[in-house]
Amino acid sequence: MAPKISKADKKIAYDQKLCQLLDEYTQVLVAAADNVGSTQLQNIRRGLRGDSVVLMGKNTMMKRSIRIHAEKTGNNTILNLIPLLVGNVGLIFTKGDLKEVSEEVAKYKVGAPARVGLVAPIDVIVPPGNTGLDPSQTSFFQVLNIPTKINKGTVEIITPVELIKKGDKVGSSEAALLLKLGIRPFSYGLVVLSVYDNGSVFSPEVLDLTEDDLIEKFAMGVSMVTSLSLAISYPTLAAAPHMFINAFKNVLAVALETDYSFPQADKVKEYLADPSKFAVTAAPVAAGDPGSAPAAAGGAKEEEKKEEPAEEPDDDMGFSLFD
């Protein structure tokens, strides 16, 4: 018979395992494990086997091991895990893609009945329809103010009823009714609360961001920096092109109103003095389009046709209206 392992030996073994994982992995998912059974946890471990390790334990023991390991190794970044160890949580150490691991963990959710005293994580709505219960069971429905009728010897719910609201505790009557109807309204599994990556801690919602989302947010940030820089006249890399253009417009306006000039202003003054030169300059650009010449010619002919006045017949007085 194998000797029984003492509690002290178990704590030492647990501490060694946690320290080994902290040295080996730089990515950790902190997940809530409320109402997760041992069988369900084994299925999760089996699904993550290969590049991830799930470690459960008491928060005080994990915090103590992390502090001691940080002092020994000088790796103070792992201390950022300590504030995350609140409630019934576990650590998922991984070398894989954080988003893929989080999605894999979310797959292992199982339905659970509504137990008395449990806080409802979602709203529970009983759908209308035949319940299959005999008329003697109507007392459950009457207590909960659920409208029913007797149809073909069974109780039928007339309208959908919100039986339990999110955040409310499940009562004995609600739990008994849901059990009789065979409804398992809740589903439980490991829920990722926080993500630790090389000392950085962030929300799991960040994992859902795509490259398009990042580009959009970056462009929005650049736009805000540019607007602020232009408003307070503070030069930044984002605002520099706009500042140069605005400065050129101001200098050009001064040159046009005064005798001061420079090469770019001379050209503008020349166009303003004789607008026909601008039309001559723009004409070769239009002519450069191979399809534009025939179309322009055709358009000119149509305009000529439209401009030709229609001949009016002579009236009785012997002269034309256009003479």
Side-chain angles (χ1 to χ4, degrees), residues 131-213:
T131 63
L133 301 176
D134 58 84
S136 63
Q137 305 291 330
T138 54
S139 59
F140 285 106
F141 301 96
Q142 292 173 357
V143 170
L144 299 171
N145 296 322
I146 298 177
T148 59
K149 66 178 181 179
I150 306 301
N151 184 16
K152 297 180 180 180
T154 58
V155 179
E156 183 177 331
I157 299 175
I158 301 175
T159 58
V161 178
E162 187 178 30
L163 188 63
I164 307 171
K165 292 184 178 180
K166 181 181 179 180
D168 293 347
K169 287 188 176 181
V170 179
S172 57
S173 300
E174 291 89 344
L177 177 60
L178 292 172
L179 184 62
K180 286 180 177 292
L181 296 177
I183 297 176
R184 299 166 68 90
F186 306 141
S187 59
Y188 298 106
L190 291 181
V191 180
V192 178
L193 302 177
S194 302
V195 181
Y196 170 91
D197 187 4
N198 285 312
S200 301
V201 178
F202 49 89
S203 172
E205 282 78 10
V206 176
L207 301 177
D208 297 329
L209 294 176
T210 62
E211 290 186 1
D212 293 336
D213 295 330

Side-chain angles (χ1 to χ4, degrees), residues 270-271 274-288:
E270 186 179 352
Y271 289 153
D274 186 5
S276 61
K277 291 184 178 181
F278 179 78
V280 172
T281 305
V285 177

Side-chain angles (χ1 to χ4, degrees), residues 33 69 78 98 162 206 232 273 277 281 303 307 309 314-315:
H69 190 67
I78 61 176
L98 290 171
E162 187 178 30
V206 176
I232 64 176
K277 291 184 178 181
T281 305
E303 289 179 0
E307 290 177 357
D314 294 343
D315 58 4

Side-chain angles (χ1 to χ4, degrees), residues 80-154:
N80 294 333
L81 285 169
I82 293 179
L84 308 178
L85 301 177
V86 179
N88 184 19
V89 297
L91 301 178
I92 304 175
F93 296 86
T94 181
K95 293 181 180 179
D97 184 83
L98 290 171
K99 183 178 181 181
E100 293 179 359
V101 174
S102 180
E103 291 175 350
E104 184 68 22
V105 170
K107 293 179 182 178
Y108 294 91
K109 287 188 177 182
V110 296
R115 295 193 295 270
V116 179
L118 189 68
V119 178
I122 58 172
D123 295 331
V124 179
I125 298 176
V126 178
N130 198 318
T131 63
L133 301 176
D134 58 84
S136 63
Q137 305 291 330
T138 54
S139 59
F140 285 106
F141 301 96
Q142 292 173 357
V143 170
L144 299 171
N145 296 322
I146 298 177
T148 59
K149 66 178 181 179
I150 306 301
N151 184 16
K152 297 180 180 180
T154 58

